[in-house]
Amino acid sequence: MTSPEDGSSDALDLYELAACGLLTTAADGTIQRVNRTMCGWTGFAAAELLGKRFQDLLTMGSKLFHHTHWMPLLQMQGSVAEVQLEMVRRDGRVLPVLVNAARREPKPGADPAVRPPVDVAVFIATDRRKYERELLFARRRAEELENEFRTLAENSPDVIARFDRAHRFVYLSPAAEGLTGKPVVDFIGKPIDQTGMASANTDAWVAAIDEAFAGRHGTLAFTYEVHGGHPREFQAHLVPERNTRGEIVTVLGLTRDVTVLRQQEREAQQRALVAEQLIGIVSHDLRNPLNAVLLGTQLLEDADAELQRVTTSRIAAAAHRANRLITDLLDFTQARLGGGLRVARREIHLHQVAADCLDEVMLAWPARQVEHRRTGDGLGLADPDRIAQILTNLVNNALTYGTPDQPVTVATSVLPGALEIQVHNAGRPIPPELQAKIFEPMQRGGAQARPGSRSVGLGLYIVREIASAHGGRVSVRSTEGEGTTFVVVLPRAGGAGG
């Protein structure tokens, strides 16, 4: 850059009052011309600067740079641009500056041995330095935060992922390898719908990622078959990640295995349901036999011999009914909360166990008829007390809901590999919609309960649990023409349970 050639007032003012320091130096750096702006910044008068070398105004470090870099570059290139230097003001303070310099073209006919002067422009870099320091600090802080994030993510049992707007993995934590059986690099750069996840899950993920890019947090629950073929339950939380300008650049997803938590929640709900059911049974069904006992006790005080005999019989029946109800409640609680009923198998004679049980049941149903049919030698492995429970519940159920003037038929069969019990009664069939849930607790038939029955709604459920504990099963057939038949099939030589 050159000083004004025309000497006009406007040109001189433009040079002297320019927004940057302007000076012209000889080839060795000696200052030949300087503007007022440069004088004001350095604190020197123009007369003090003229004759000084430009490099003499620099700090020691900047002098070294001027000598080793500035001068060689200027000689080779003819110019240097945006070189950061530090100048020392008259008062000793250091002034950071940016310097541009350009060597003038030689004038026509000039002596080649004489190097042309150099025009220098100096800009104060105080604000730039401050900005650069802030930017450097921000970058370092961002790197520290990123390192902290990666340290946390790589040591977390949760799966942490980042997604771009194309739903591609930008980052995925190592925890994903244990779930998928694949290295993390197999996922980076791929959209989530190309990772082998079920389409329903990927659709939910894509929708949740889009929601997060719209600025809304999202949560989704899904089931994923982890490496090894085991389905697990997961919950993911997605949040938008913003840059310093507030723009959403990525979406962060945190995925946690909640299988155990969900199982605990279901168990808690189950316990609450069982407690509610038990309260209902105790408050409703146990009250009736207890009231019968209390009323009978009062009648005994002034009763004659015949009334005492009848009342005593009723008290005994009510006590037996209450005892059976309590047994059912204990079995119900054990089955629902204890993981199933316990059975103790031993060698039994199925026909004899059935005959003894039917004798006891008929004491409560003296006016009804029960036929017992036998097939096979009767020998097998089973828990005789539990077999008696099966028969008692099924026969009482048949007597309660069957046609009163028709016999209930009990068939016990010992087949080559199974023990089979069938209980049949005539009467109205069980509605199809009830058949689908009749073995669940608290399911009762629509008929009026008759004397000797408990009508608790646990009998068929306990039958199913006893059959299951033996490794067997129970089923029902019920039609208008055939009537109702419950069939229990148990392995003859023992199965699951213990």
Side-chain angles (χ1 to χ4, degrees):
M1 61 195 72
T2 61
S3 58
E5 299 291 341
D6 58 5
S8 67
S9 175
D10 289 344
L12 287 173
D13 286 345
L14 182 64
Y15 176 82
E16 294 291 341
L17 304 176
C20 60
L22 298 176
L23 59 152
T24 302
T25 72
D28 64 353
T30 303
I31 299 174
Q32 299 175 337
R33 184 179 177 85
V34 64
N35 71 348
R36 293 181 192 175
T37 303
M38 186 67 181
C39 295
W41 285 352
T42 61
F44 291 102
E48 294 176 293
L49 291 176
L50 295 176
K52 275 181 174 287
R53 294 187 307 169
F54 172 70
Q55 53 265 41
D56 293 337
L57 297 175
L58 305 178
T59 62
M60 183 58 68
S62 294
K63 285 179 181 180
L64 290 173
F65 184 85
H66 183 275
H67 178 71
T68 58
H69 291 79
W70 171 291
M71 294 301 291
L73 284 173
L74 189 59
Q75 290 175 9
M76 289 187 297
Q77 299 176 176
S79 65
V80 289
E82 294 191 354
V83 177
Q84 294 190 29
L85 298 173
E86 290 182 332
M87 299 180 65
V88 180
R89 292 166 48 93
R90 183 188 184 95
D91 59 9
R93 288 185 295 167
V94 174
L95 184 68
V97 293
L98 282 176
V99 181
N100 294 341
R103 189 177 59 226
R104 292 185 186 180
E105 293 293 329
K107 292 182 178 180
D111 185 355
V114 179
R115 287 180 293 179
V118 176
D119 293 319
V120 180
V122 179
F123 301 87
I124 292 179
T126 305
D127 291 340
R128 182 186 177 100
R129 287 283 183 88
K130 179 181 178 182
Y131 168 75
E132 288 176 346
R133 285 194 297 269
E134 291 176 351
L135 181 60
L136 179 61
F137 174 79
R139 285 177 177 172
R140 287 176 177 172
R141 183 55 182 156
E143 290 175 357
E144 291 174 358
L145 291 174
E146 181 65 17
N147 289 335
E148 291 174 3
F149 165 78
R150 289 184 179 271
T151 299
L152 173 65
E154 290 172 7
N155 291 278
S156 172
D158 301 326
V159 177
I160 300 174
R162 274 193 176 119
F163 302 93
D164 62 14
R165 290 188 178 273
H167 315 119
R168 293 175 300 206
F169 285 95
V170 178
Y171 172 82
L172 185 62
S173 66
E177 295 184 359
L179 298 179
T180 64
K182 300 178 183 178
V184 166
V185 294
D186 287 359
F187 295 88
I188 302 302
K190 290 183 179 179
I192 194 169
D193 59 2
Q194 295 181 14
T195 58
M197 187 183 294
S199 59
N201 288 340
T202 56
D203 291 345
W205 269 97
V206 167
I209 293 171
D210 289 340
E211 282 287 301
F213 271 112
R216 295 180 287 273
H217 292 210
T219 300
L220 61 95
F222 63 98
T223 301
Y224 180 76
E225 191 171 289
V226 302
H227 180 58
H230 304 294
R232 306 284 293 177
E233 295 180 70
F234 293 90
Q235 180 171 298
H237 186 61
L238 287 87
V239 297
E241 290 187 301
R242 303 176 185 271
N243 60 17
T244 55
R245 296 185 297 275
E247 300 166 337
I248 300 175
V249 291
T250 53
V251 165
L252 185 68
L254 173 66
T255 302
R256 176 164 296 174
D257 187 336
V258 294
T259 306
V260 175
L261 176 62
R262 293 291 178 264
Q263 181 61 32
Q264 291 173 343
E265 290 175 350
R266 286 190 288 268
E267 290 175 354
Q269 293 173 352
Q270 181 65 27
R271 286 192 293 270
L273 177 61
V274 170
E276 182 180 346
Q277 292 171 335
L278 288 177
I279 291 172
I281 293 170
V282 171
S283 63
H284 181 270
D285 295 286
L286 195 56
R287 181 184 301 164
N288 292 333
L290 289 178
N291 286 339
V293 171
L294 292 173
L295 180 60
T297 303
Q298 295 173 2
L299 291 175
L300 285 177
E301 295 179 358
D302 301 318
D304 55 27
E306 178 60 22
L307 182 57
Q308 285 184 354
R309 183 187 65 77
V310 174
T311 302
T312 302
S313 177
R314 290 177 178 173
I315 291 174
H320 285 306
R321 193 160 65 250
N323 185 60
R324 288 195 300 270
L325 174 58
I326 292 171
T327 299
D328 280 356
L329 289 175
L330 292 174
D331 285 342
F332 170 70
T333 304
Q334 180 182 332
R336 295 302 283 258
L337 302 182
L341 297 180
R342 291 186 294 272
V343 296
R345 292 186 189 82
R346 66 172 186 264
E347 187 80 22
I348 68 166
H349 194 287
L350 178 61
H351 303 325
Q352 188 60 51
V353 171
D356 293 342
C357 177
L358 293 177
D359 288 342
E360 292 180 7
V361 170
M362 293 312 298
L363 292 175
W365 300 84
R368 297 292 300 275
Q369 182 180 0
V370 175
E371 298 178 358
H372 182 196
R373 299 172 184 174
R374 304 167 175 82
T375 301
D377 60 13
L379 298 179
L381 285 176
D383 186 326
D385 294 332
R386 295 299 190 182
I387 296 298
Q389 275 186 276
I390 289 176
L391 284 160
T392 299
N393 287 337
L394 291 181
V395 173
N396 270 309
N397 186 76
L399 291 168
T400 300
Y401 298 109
T403 303
D405 58 357
Q406 295 293 319
V408 169
T409 303
V410 177
T412 53
S413 303
V414 178
L415 307 174
L419 303 179
E420 185 176 282
I421 300 171
Q422 293 192 26
V423 178
H424 171 269
N425 65 268
R428 287 186 299 174
I430 302 170
E433 64 274 11
L434 182 58
Q435 291 184 39
K437 56 183 179 179
I438 197 168
F439 294 106
E440 295 301 321
M442 315 305 161
Q443 301 298 325
R444 309 180 189 220
Q448 179 70 31
R450 297 182 179 86
S453 72
R454 287 162 291 165
S455 188
V456 182
L458 293 179
L460 295 179
Y461 169 75
I462 291 172
V463 168
R464 185 189 70 181
E465 292 301 308
I466 294 174
S468 177
H470 278 84
R473 66 186 185 278
V474 60
S475 60
V476 62
R477 302 189 306 269
S478 188
T479 64
E480 188 72 41
E482 180 185 345
T484 300
T485 304
F486 286 89
V487 181
V488 177
V489 180
L490 311 177
R492 183 176 183 181

